[in-house]
Amino acid sequence: MQNFVQSIKDFAKNTKDKFKALSKNKKYAIIIGIVAIILAVIFSVTYGIKNKYGILFSGLDNYDAANISKTLEDKSVETKIKGDTIYVPREQVDKLRLELSPTITNGSKGFELMDEGASLSMTDEEFEIKKLRMLQGELEKTIKTFPQIDDARVHITQGEESVFSKNSKVGKAAVYVSLKNGKDLDETQIKSIISLVSASGRNIPKQNIEVIDQNMNLLSEGIYDKDGNAVKGMGLAASRNAERELSDELKKSLVEMLEPIFGRNKVKATVNANLNFDTVEKSEIKVDPDKVIKSEIRSENTSKDGAQTGSPVDNNMNNTAGGENSGSSSKEEQIEYEVGKTETKTITTSGEVKRLTVSVAIDGNLPAAKIASVEKMVASAIGMNTERGDELSVVAMEFNPDANNVFDDKEAAPETMKQKIINIAIIAGTILAVLTIALIAYLIYKGKKDKYEAEEELELEDTNDLIARMVREKEIEKTTELSLEDEIKVIVSQSPEEVTKLIKTWLND
């Protein structure tokens, strides 16, 4: 063991010595290679761990997520849960998905309830309750498949049917829908949900079904009347929008027609459209006075009887006397006439134009003939009908683009001019004051700047003088330097004893 440890130490020492002996470029290359290998290993391990698991189910209901997790735990399947997503080993995803998909209810149980518990011990009441729950669950599943709906709940109170109408009891239902973000249901789709619930339940009329969304909006309001008939009329908001759209469209068409004639922004138009949103059904029967034979029956009957006298015995004898023959005839004639008639049924749809009022203003003074021509053009453009009460007004006058008060009298003109002069004087004084302040500020700034520049120049001159003086002193020092021989002489003259000792030391050495 010690030899192994020693060999490792020797190997490490040799490697270290060899590494130190390498050039700098080779050292950098080896370090970069080692770092790249370490990063590759880390990336490979991380990627393998992350891709070890695959998504089994995501976005499950809490009830379904708990059941799936319990089933996977019983199967000893390695599971990883993040939020509402369940992960399992990637190679088991397909198999487990096929096995567990039938157990997902999305929060609604339908016929799966029949698999829970024994039905033999159930009472009739319990079976009816379970049957109702199954119906509600199946309806919820169906409604959740609609693309606009994220979640749904259905509550039903079943009705009762009887051969006696007075003993029948109508049912009721309420449908809650949670719409996806940005999605909405139109009237046709709401009717589809109501029809689905009505047809699935027992004696549940459509007018007894309410639909609400997650924002507590009653979506089914005003769709069916109390008799279950669809309300064909439009709501107040929709009616107002339709009238506004028609008015704006007619107004735009009038302005586009007249502006090329009178100039841009020279024409103003206002259109007020009233629409009739009532649905009217009208039946008309016309009777033709000429009669037409529908059927004719004629019959004629004729009968003849011979007259005899005496008894039956006497009638067989030759001595009987002959009587006169008698007969009868009848005629019967039956003719059935049909009166000609024509029946016409007319249904007027909602949205018919009830009345139009139009006003057009033109900038400028126009003659009466030209105004009449404009009225004719506008009437044709909007489809004017005087029989329904349409009104049209075309006026020509000078526009006031500056929005001045045209009702000011002449006496007020001097006051207005005086006020204008005062306003102009105030504005001019303000501008002059601002300019004066700006000029003063500029002069102050200019003075400070000149002073600063002068101080800088003075400082620069002082610096230059100092440098020149230092240079001169340095030159003087250079000229006054003593030679080596002169310095020795000065030292010997000042301290002869020390010099003597120094020479003796040199001689002894």
Side-chain angles (χ1 to χ4, degrees), residues 168-422:
S168 297
K169 183 179 179 182
V170 296
K172 298 179 180 179
V175 180
Y176 163 81
V177 292
S178 178
L179 302 177
K180 296 179 180 178
N181 292 332
K183 299 292 183 179
D184 201 0
L185 296 177
D186 57 25
E187 184 176 336
T188 304
Q189 293 166 337
I190 298 172
K191 285 183 178 179
S192 300
I193 295 176
I194 293 175
S195 300
L196 176 65
V197 177
S198 177
S200 301
R202 182 172 62 247
N203 195 17
I204 303 178
K206 295 180 179 179
Q207 66 269 23
N208 284 8
I209 301 174
E210 303 293 349
V211 182
I212 62 174
D213 63 4
Q214 73 271 25
N215 297 320
M216 301 179 67
N217 297 320
L218 184 59
L219 305 179
S220 57
E221 184 178 10
I223 294 180
Y224 293 99
D225 59 14
K226 62 180 181 179
D227 298 325
N229 300 318
V231 178
K232 297 181 181 180
M234 301 176 64
L236 179 60
S239 302
R240 295 300 184 192
N241 289 333
E243 291 179 343
R244 190 181 302 110
E245 289 177 0
L246 178 59
S247 300
D248 293 342
E249 182 179 354
L250 292 176
K251 174 184 175 181
K252 183 179 179 181
S253 63
L254 291 178
V255 173
E256 290 179 351
M257 179 183 67
L258 297 176
E259 276 192 342
I261 301 174
F262 298 101
R264 187 175 182 83
N265 296 328
K266 296 293 184 179
V267 178
K268 301 296 181 182
T270 302
V271 180
N272 184 17
N274 294 329
L275 303 180
N276 184 7
F277 294 98
D278 297 334
T279 301
V280 180
E281 183 175 349
K282 181 180 180 181
S283 297
E284 183 179 0
I285 300 176
K286 293 183 179 180
V287 179
D288 190 357
D290 297 332
K291 296 180 180 180
V292 179
I293 297 176
K294 181 179 180 181
S295 63
E296 182 177 0
I297 301 175
R298 293 182 181 180
S299 62
E300 184 176 352
N301 297 323
T302 304
S303 62
K304 294 181 179 180
D305 294 330
Q308 293 182 350
T309 59
S311 63
V313 177
D314 293 336
N315 290 334
N316 294 326
M317 296 180 65
N318 294 328
N319 58 355
T320 58
E324 295 181 358
N325 294 330
S326 62
S328 63
S329 62
S330 62
K331 291 183 179 181
E332 184 178 355
E333 183 176 340
Q334 183 179 354
I335 301 175
E336 182 177 355
Y337 294 93
E338 182 177 8
V339 178
K341 62 180 180 180
T342 303
E343 183 175 356
T344 304
K345 181 179 290 188
T346 305
I347 299 177
T348 304
T349 59
S350 59
E352 182 183 9
V353 177
K354 186 177 181 180
R355 186 168 180 262
L356 291 175
T357 55
V358 182
S359 297
V360 179
I362 302 173
D363 186 11
N365 296 319
L366 300 179
K370 186 169 288 189
I371 293 178
S373 300
V374 173
E375 289 180 351
K376 187 175 180 181
M377 291 172 59
V378 173
S380 300
I382 65 174
M384 184 175 176
N385 186 0
T386 56
E387 294 181 357
R388 65 186 178 196
D390 294 353
E391 295 182 2
L392 172 62
S393 175
V394 178
V395 295
M397 61 178 61
E398 296 290 339
F399 285 1
N400 184 15
D402 297 331
N404 295 327
N405 189 0
V406 297
F407 298 102
D408 288 343
D409 52 11
K410 296 181 180 179
E411 296 179 357
E415 295 294 332
T416 305
M417 185 60 66
K418 183 179 179 180
Q419 186 63 35
K420 287 183 178 180
I421 294 172
I422 294 173

Side-chain angles (χ1 to χ4, degrees), residues 59 80 99 107 109 123 125 167 177 184 199 229 240 256 333 335-336 420 423 428 446 449 469 490 495:
K80 189 177 180 182
E99 292 178 357
K109 284 189 175 183
T123 63
E125 185 177 359
N167 294 332
V177 292
D184 201 0
N229 300 318
R240 295 300 184 192
E256 290 179 351
E333 183 176 340
I335 301 175
E336 182 177 355
K420 287 183 178 180
N423 294 335
K446 182 68 173 174
K449 185 177 180 182
R469 187 169 62 255
V490 172
S495 55

Side-chain angles (χ1 to χ4, degrees), residues 77-94:
V77 178
E78 189 176 356
T79 307
K80 189 177 180 182
I81 300 175
K82 288 185 178 180
D84 58 355
T85 304
I86 299 176
Y87 295 86
V88 296
R90 184 172 293 276
E91 62 274 7
Q92 301 182 30
V93 169
D94 296 334

